[in-house]
Amino acid sequence: MFKEEIKKTKLGADIPLIYHFAMLQDEQRMLNFKDAIDSSVPVGGKVLELGGGTGVMSYYAAQKASKVYCVEQIPENVKAARKFLSSNPNGDRVEVVQANAFEYLPPEPVDVVICEMIHVGMLREKQIEMMESFKRRYRARFGDRLPHFIPEGFIQAVQALEYDFNFFGYNAPVPLFQIPGDKTRKSNELSDPVVFQTAQYKDSLPNSISWNGTFKITEDGNLNSVRVILKNLLTAIPSENRGIFWHNQYLILPLYNPLSVRAGEEVELSFSYIMGCEIEDLLDSMTLNTKFAPNHFSKPEQTLAGYLSR
Ligand SMILES: C[S@@+](CC[C@H](N)C(=O)[O-])C[C@H]1O[C@@H](n2cnc3c(N)ncnc32)[C@H](O)[C@@H]1O
């Protein structure tokens, strides 16, 4: 029941317009994308944005580009993007195309492609599938030289956590998002983050991931959750020896059977999932074992999926 309810709350292709407006307020996201776009788009260049939303990224690109193709499939978003662009400087350089970005290609080669269909864990949205589809079709039409991609790549990590799931007296261990750096809820980090994936969009990307790794516990505590971290490299600027990054909100996944751990112990985590799948598909596949303590997670009903299907 609970699991089904989570599944129904689809993201990705149907983010309501009101959430797009909220994204405009996210300073960390907007300023870093603006900086990356400004640093990467050549003066007079051609740009393609896949999934344009309100058109804001295309607008940033249009300050340097001579032409921006902004593809968006939701009619309400297309209408909003056209309206906003018409009242912003150089908005006339952006052509908002209502189309499915899995099928659309620009009429000419482009210098830069912007694509932000990104969810923490690379879950729920179709970023990987979209980029693979785009590269295949673009190469077939325009040859091997690919445009510069924003973002360029990403790194994903997991971290052992003790998280406070008590909400003003009400205990509810549920999947949650957490703004990086937000200290309003008590969460103790019980290990360093452990990297489980790095990728660059210009390379061939896997459509699934299978991982088995170890947390080295750094603090005594109650291991009751795992934090999933996604850090996007929006663009590298080698001449300035720096990169521009954007962190998605962290995803906190509760564990059914919290584990009492001590500094120095090792805990093994494994999972496998298809990119773009639902949160609970990742949960379904997740198993946790301590190396130096009784196996708390050996029974199938004690997996995270077991917890969520209750
Ligand atoms: C996370 S939003 C980002 C919007 C915008 N780039 C921004 O940064 O504010 C992803 C956008 O991609 C669009 N989208 C998702 N799948 C698409 C598809 N197959 N074709 C065209 N647009 C798509 C969504 O409607 C949404 O507007």
Side-chain angles (χ1 to χ4, degrees):
M1 165 71 173
F2 181 32
K3 191 169 155 183
E4 286 312 307
E5 291 310 310
I6 293 180
K7 229 173 197 166
K8 276 186 217 154
T9 51
K10 289 271 178 233
L11 272 184
D14 39 18
I15 300 171
L17 199 47
I18 196 80
Y19 289 121
H20 284 285
F21 299 160
M23 283 190 270
L24 293 171
Q25 293 193 113
D26 183 340
E27 196 173 310
Q28 196 251 140
R29 178 177 187 274
M30 301 315 297
L31 291 183
N32 288 335
F33 266 100
K34 189 172 193 268
D35 195 9
I37 291 167
D38 191 50
S39 308
S40 311
V41 173
V43 175
K46 308 286 165 76
V47 175
L48 169 66
E49 183 180 10
L50 302 169
T54 54
V56 61
M57 304 290 175
S58 288
Y59 162 73
Y60 293 147
Q63 303 319 299
K64 292 181 91 177
S66 60
K67 177 81 188 180
V68 183
Y69 301 95
C70 171
V71 190
E72 171 59 51
Q73 67 178 0
I74 309 262
E76 293 75 28
N77 298 356
V78 169
K79 206 172 149 195
R82 285 182 179 149
K83 183 170 167 240
F84 298 138
L85 285 161
S86 71
S87 60
N88 276 279
N90 300 318
D92 57 336
R93 295 179 186 170
V94 183
E95 182 178 334
V96 182
V97 182
Q98 187 181 338
N100 181 354
F102 276 110
E103 291 162 8
Y104 177 84
L105 275 180
E108 58 185 333
V110 292
D111 303 290
V112 176
V113 170
I114 304 164
C115 183
E116 195 283 269
M117 301 181 187
I118 304 173
H119 186 284
V120 58
M122 287 295 172
L123 302 162
R124 308 194 83 187
E125 295 198 55
K126 303 293 177 202
Q127 179 82 358
I128 304 285
E129 206 181 322
M130 180 64 75
M131 292 300 286
E132 287 303 278
S133 158
F134 170 78
K135 287 186 290 184
R136 192 175 55 250
R137 290 177 293 113
Y138 188 89
R139 280 188 172 119
R141 183 170 303 174
F142 298 117
D144 275 343
R145 194 168 174 275
L146 289 172
H148 176 74
F149 294 122
I150 300 177
E152 274 192 58
F154 63 91
I155 181 166
Q156 299 216 78
V158 278
Q159 187 172 22
L161 218 63
E162 175 173 350
Y163 195 81
D164 182 4
F165 289 106
N166 191 288
F167 302 92
F168 314 102
Y170 191 56
N171 186 50
V174 291
L176 288 171
F177 296 102
Q178 184 186 35
I179 296 169
D182 179 15
K183 303 282 182 209
T184 52
R185 292 209 72 75
K186 190 170 147 270
S187 59
N188 287 342
E189 293 166 0
L190 301 180
S191 76
D192 290 333
V194 181
V195 172
F196 68 88
Q197 187 181 29
T198 55
Q200 283 189 282
Y201 288 109
K202 66 181 171 54
D203 300 332
S204 177
L205 303 164
N207 69 354
S208 66
I209 184 155
S210 214
W211 189 77
N212 188 306
T214 301
F215 295 128
K216 286 193 172 39
I217 300 299
T218 50
E219 251 192 67
D220 295 358
N222 181 31
L223 201 180
N224 68 353
S225 53
V226 171
R227 175 189 274 159
V228 184
I229 299 166
L230 168 56
K231 185 174 179 177
N232 301 284
L233 172 64
L234 297 185
T235 202
I237 311 179
S239 61
E240 297 173 23
N241 198 21
R242 71 176 177 117
I244 301 172
F245 295 94
W246 167 54
H247 268 280
N248 283 72
Q249 290 195 4
Y250 297 146
L251 175 62
I252 312 288
L253 299 174
L255 302 175
Y256 169 53
N257 258 8
L259 211 57
S260 179
V261 291
R262 304 200 71 119
E265 282 183 345
E266 293 194 351
V267 177
E268 215 175 62
L269 177 72
S270 64
F271 54 79
S272 61
Y273 63 95
I274 294 169
M275 301 297 169
C277 72
E278 295 300 319
I279 290 172
E280 86 280 0
D281 293 328
L282 163 58
L283 289 171
D284 276 354
S285 76
M286 231 177 204
T287 50
L288 190 67
N289 292 294
T290 55
K291 285 187 172 173
F292 303 130
N295 184 349
H296 293 242
F297 284 82
S298 54
K299 294 184 190 162
E301 69 272 19
Q302 289 183 327
T303 62
L304 293 162
Y307 165 74
L308 273 185
S309 57
R310 282 164 177 238

